[in-house]
Amino acid sequence: MRLLFLAVLRRHTGNAVTAQRIRDHLEAAGHVCILKDAFDFGSPSEIANFIKAENLEAAVALHLYRGGRLVQGHGIPFGIIFGGTDLNEDVNHGEKNKVMGKVLEEARFAVAFTESMKEMAQTQWVDPVFTREVKAKVKRTPGVRLIGEMAQEDLHAVVKNCFAVVNSSVSEGMSAAILEAMDLEVPVLARNIPGNAAVVTHEVTGLLFSDPQEFVRLAKRLVSDPALEKEIVANAREYVRKHHSWQVERNTYRHLIRTLQRSIED
């Protein structure tokens, strides 16, 4: 494969050394890797002309902002390697942050040299590679649809027409989605983690699963047992209205604010 490798190649810098090392790896694997300095190109059109002239099939960019924004939008697949200053400095500039997020959405992969760099990137942006994988699998799976954000009223209307609401989070504080499903009288199937187990009592106000196999078993059980569904819905509705009342919550916050007012007056 003929690859464009774009990086900032100032002599004797860490990025230049890293880029040359990675180029050697790619060429050792049998690819033609053309390493170019990002500063050699003044505009995306110059990159487009170079890609066409060299008959390049894919690209790799070292540095999400300096290199990534130049390889984006040319109709060839590309991957990103985080450089360091993109995550440590550029991420703090609003416009650059937005540009880098768009680049990641289009990138086929992203490489971080350390766990801390990976965590910094995940804190800033939704993992675009994982998102793309999910979307691809959804397209291949009959009966599964991926729905974007919607107004709460529309969401509640959709939920009311569902057989069950599934929460598969690996970490939760208190899931509003679970409480809303309970209030809308829709059965809940939730991963058995502390945050979910705090509001879902297994086989009482919902069903808790620990792995995919158990989820399938419990889902089939819920489908085939109308009495269980009815009991869970009734218990869940009673639980959420007793322990998560909107009016009680409002009164509690009113009381708390009054304590602040009293402290100011005192």
Side-chain angles (χ1 to χ4, degrees):
M1 179 177 285
R2 292 181 60 80
L3 301 171
L4 169 63
F5 190 3
L6 208 58
V8 175
L9 299 177
R10 288 194 295 265
R11 294 182 63 185
H12 310 303
T13 63
N15 271 357
V17 173
T18 298
Q20 290 161 5
R21 184 181 71 250
I22 295 172
R23 178 193 59 186
D24 291 344
H25 293 329
L26 296 173
E27 290 183 340
H31 302 293
V32 174
C33 186
I34 301 177
L35 179 59
K36 298 292 290 184
D37 193 323
F39 289 141
D40 287 345
F41 299 93
S43 67
S45 62
E46 290 184 18
I47 288 277
N49 292 336
F50 185 78
I51 290 172
K52 184 177 181 180
E54 295 292 336
N55 195 28
L56 298 169
E57 302 168 86
V60 177
L62 175 57
H63 200 283
L64 184 55
Y65 184 75
R66 294 173 185 167
R69 64 193 173 98
L70 293 175
V71 298
Q72 181 188 23
H74 296 296
I76 62 171
F78 67 87
I80 292 296
I81 303 169
F82 294 115
T85 56
D86 42 9
L87 295 176
N88 295 323
E89 298 176 15
D90 294 333
V91 75
N92 297 315
H93 298 274
E95 189 58 35
K96 289 183 178 180
N97 188 307
K98 186 183 298 185
V99 169
M100 292 190 293
K102 293 294 185 182
V103 172
L104 276 177
E105 288 178 7
E106 192 174 328
R108 299 296 180 90
F109 64 79
V111 176
F113 293 122
T114 66
E115 279 297 318
S116 63
M117 290 176 70
K118 177 182 176 182
E119 290 169 4
M120 289 172 67
Q122 289 176 330
T123 298
Q124 289 294 328
W125 305 285
V126 175
D127 185 340
V129 177
F130 177 71
T131 300
R132 196 159 43 245
E133 290 176 352
V134 170
K135 289 180 178 179
K137 287 184 178 180
V138 166
K139 287 183 179 179
R140 297 194 301 267
T141 307
V144 178
R145 288 192 298 165
L146 186 63
I147 300 176
E149 294 181 5
M150 60 177 66
Q152 188 179 50
E153 305 80 37
D154 296 333
L155 176 62
H156 286 180
V158 171
V159 170
K160 285 180 180 179
N161 283 287
C162 292
F163 176 75
V165 166
V166 177
N167 181 303
S168 60
S169 298
V170 295
S171 177
E172 284 280 7
M174 181 183 71
S175 171
I178 288 178
L179 296 179
E180 288 177 343
M182 289 178 169
D183 191 50
L184 294 170
E185 302 182 15
V186 177
V188 170
L189 280 157
R191 188 187 298 274
N192 192 0
I193 56 174
N196 289 345
V199 295
V200 177
T201 301
H202 185 57
E203 297 184 333
V204 178
T205 57
L207 298 173
L208 295 171
F209 61 88
S210 298
D211 53 50
Q213 294 74 28
E214 187 175 20
F215 165 75
V216 172
R217 181 177 62 80
L218 291 174
K220 289 181 177 179
R221 179 183 171 194
L222 188 61
V223 169
S224 62
D225 191 341
L228 174 64
E229 178 197 355
K230 185 177 181 180
E231 181 180 0
I232 284 176
V233 165
N235 291 338
R237 181 182 64 241
E238 179 63 22
Y239 165 80
V240 77
R241 293 178 183 176
K242 182 177 180 180
H243 297 283
H244 298 276
S245 163
W246 174 86
Q247 189 61 52
V248 170
E249 184 178 49
R250 168 178 282 193
N251 292 339
T252 299
Y253 280 108
R254 284 178 175 174
H255 172 72
L256 291 172
I257 295 301
R258 282 197 295 270
T259 64
L260 294 180
Q261 290 174 326
R262 285 196 294 270
S263 66
I264 293 173
E265 293 168 357
D266 294 341

